[in-house]
Amino acid sequence: PVRRQGKLILDLDSHLVDVAVDWGRRGLVEGFTLLGRTRGSVREWGETVMQGGRELKEAHFEGNGVELDVSESGCLGQGFAEMERLVAALKKDIIVTSLCLARCQLDDICTNMLAGALMRNRTLRELVLCENEIGDEGAEALAAALDQNPALQRLDLAANQIGPLGAAQLADGLRRNQGLRELDLSLNALGDAGAEHLARALEPSPAGACALRRLALEECGISQRGRSCLTKAAASLRSAGAPALALVFEASDLGAGDAVEEPGERFVVACSRAGVEISSADVGIGRLSWGQDDQQMEVVIRAPWLRRRSRGSIAVRFDARKFSIEAKGQTVLEIDLCDRIAPAQSSWMVREGVLQVVLAKWEPRPWPGLVRPVGASAQQGI
């Protein structure tokens, strides 16, 4: 992992990023995150950005897409003024390719507004709306947007309030959409009725085959009967010559249908009122924050995949100067720490999609940051 800290000018010509920056200035959000991919190493990329005028431009994303994460923006669920600003920005934005609005208190009214903007936007490839309050009416609005938007490729609606009726509306949208590749409806009470609606959308028709390549339905109350219905529909799709569709019913199926990793490294630009921190990390790790007192450093990671993993499939390893997180035996994040810890006294727990790591400091003193900076020795701080 590589991290650099400092001030940075965001010059991306993005209406959505401008809204996020304004929210940060006004104290409406604690911060937001930009993510992307560089063909080289994040270390070299970070040095180029921080030493080259300290301006982050669209060209720095190297044509690999600009991802914006403004999760936990509670201002969107408190009146419509900020929601209207976001929607207006989404209609005009031609820069951001992925927008994450997880845990933003979005209800059906907010989702209707977003769906209207999606009908106008042709740049967004991914929209993450997990862990909100979206119900069947919101699902119906998104289905209408799918009918008009051929650009969106991934839609995450996990952990909302969508039922069989909402599943039926989304199924109608899928029948007419040839762009969406991934749909996550996990942790919604769809039941067998919802599964049957989705299965009918998967069946080949004279108008063409469904374009989905991955459909996640974990903990949706679907029995073996509903699963069998979906499996048969996926097999019919395959028999018609369409690419294979991965159905995810259990946490053990999470790797099914995953895309081949692209070359290069992913970078994360975490923006807050304190400045900007550039890091190299797995983009799927979610949102990371930290705080401290003289005795401990607390690290909190929030991610939808944590909600769908049992504690036994996650492990946190401590060393004197670093800690790592493993999922299903694979390291998903490793952090070189700014100072030394006492591994035996450090601890962690995971609950409801949140991983909390408590690092016991070797010496009772404030740390200038969480992560050892680029080029720093083990004795240096940030």
Side-chain angles (χ1 to χ4, degrees):
V2 178
R3 294 210 171 207
R4 295 186 67 91
Q5 290 183 320
K7 300 293 184 179
L8 193 64
I9 298 173
L10 303 181
D11 186 16
L12 295 171
D13 292 326
S14 165
H15 297 281
L16 286 168
V17 174
D18 287 347
V19 169
V21 170
D22 181 65
W23 285 348
R25 286 175 178 163
R26 294 161 56 200
L28 297 179
V29 296
E30 293 182 5
F32 61 92
T33 304
L34 292 165
L35 306 102
R37 178 179 293 279
T38 175
R39 299 180 186 90
S41 70
V42 173
R43 180 185 298 275
E44 295 172 348
W45 185 89
E47 290 174 350
T48 299
V49 172
M50 299 303 283
Q51 296 174 6
R54 291 180 176 268
E55 289 186 347
L56 185 62
K57 298 178 177 290
E58 183 191 2
H60 287 122
F61 289 78
E62 302 176 17
N64 295 318
V66 178
E67 304 173 30
L68 173 62
D69 185 345
V70 285
S71 297
E72 299 180 343
S73 299
C75 60
L76 293 177
Q78 301 171 2
F80 296 113
E82 302 307 325
M83 192 69 208
E84 288 173 349
R85 289 195 64 204
L86 179 72
V87 166
L90 180 57
K91 288 179 180 178
K92 297 182 290 184
D93 198 278
I94 59 171
I95 302 296
V96 172
T97 56
S98 173
L99 178 62
C100 182
L101 297 171
R103 301 176 297 281
C104 286
Q105 304 175 26
L106 302 179
D107 58 14
D108 286 340
I109 296 175
C110 294
T111 308
N112 267 280
M113 296 170 70
L114 275 175
L118 280 176
M119 293 181 182
R120 300 272 297 274
N121 185 287
R122 291 296 181 269
T123 304
L124 205 66
R125 300 290 179 267
E126 177 183 49
L127 179 60
V128 179
L129 300 175
C130 61
E131 298 181 75
N132 280 293
E133 302 165 12
I134 301 170
D136 292 339
E137 289 184 16
E140 181 178 6
L142 290 170
L146 288 177
D147 195 21
Q148 300 292 323
N149 186 320
L152 195 68
Q153 296 179 5
R154 182 174 184 269
L155 178 60
D156 187 345
L157 293 171
N160 275 285
Q161 300 169 9
I162 300 171
L165 180 58
Q169 300 290 349
L170 288 169
D172 286 341
L174 289 173
R175 288 191 186 95
R176 298 185 293 271
N177 179 278
Q178 292 297 309
L180 198 69
R181 297 293 184 268
E182 296 185 32
L183 176 62
D184 193 339
L185 290 171
S186 300
L187 295 164
N188 284 285
L190 307 182
D192 286 343
E196 290 168 1
H197 288 305
L198 291 168
R200 284 193 285 272
L202 299 178
E203 295 172 353
S205 69
C210 176
L212 274 185
R213 300 294 174 264
R214 191 171 190 270
L215 177 60
L217 298 166
E218 297 174 60
E219 298 184 38
C220 288
I222 300 174
S223 71
Q224 189 56 48
R225 178 172 66 87
R227 295 186 182 192
S228 177
C229 187
L230 282 161
T231 302
K232 289 179 181 178
S236 298
L237 199 63
R238 182 65 170 160
S239 298
L245 168 65
L247 294 171
V248 180
F249 296 116
E250 306 288 349
S252 58
D253 301 329
L254 279 176
D258 284 351
V260 177
E261 188 69 15
E262 299 176 20
E265 294 184 6
R266 284 197 177 275
F267 58 81
V268 178
V269 182
C271 307
S272 69
R273 300 182 74 176
V276 168
E277 187 172 273
I278 296 174
S279 67
S280 171
D282 186 327
V283 72
I285 195 62
R287 185 170 181 173
L288 183 149
S289 59
W290 57 271
Q292 65 173 315
D293 57 27
D294 286 348
Q295 304 293 329
Q296 297 177 334
M297 176 72 76
E298 182 184 49
V299 182
V300 177
I301 296 172
R302 295 175 173 85
W305 64 267
L306 285 168
R307 185 181 292 273
R308 305 196 292 271
R309 292 284 180 95
S310 64
R311 191 184 192 281
S313 67
I314 299 171
V316 179
R317 313 293 184 191
F318 300 104
D319 202 347
R321 293 295 305 237
K322 68 181 180 181
F323 77 92
S324 60
I325 300 170
E326 298 177 0
K328 296 176 68 175
Q330 295 185 340
T331 300
V332 295
L333 181 67
E334 185 177 272
I335 292 180
D336 289 324
L337 297 169
C338 177
D339 210 332
R340 191 176 179 186
I341 65 170
Q345 282 73 55
S346 299
S347 62
W348 64 278
M349 65 176 292
V350 62
R351 181 182 179 185
E352 296 182 353
V354 178
L355 175 62
Q356 180 184 37
V357 180
V358 178
L359 305 171
K361 295 181 178 179
W362 183 258
E363 296 183 16
R365 62 186 182 189
W367 289 9
L370 173 64
V371 182
R372 188 189 311 174
V374 177
S377 66
Q379 286 74 39
Q380 291 178 300
I382 291 180

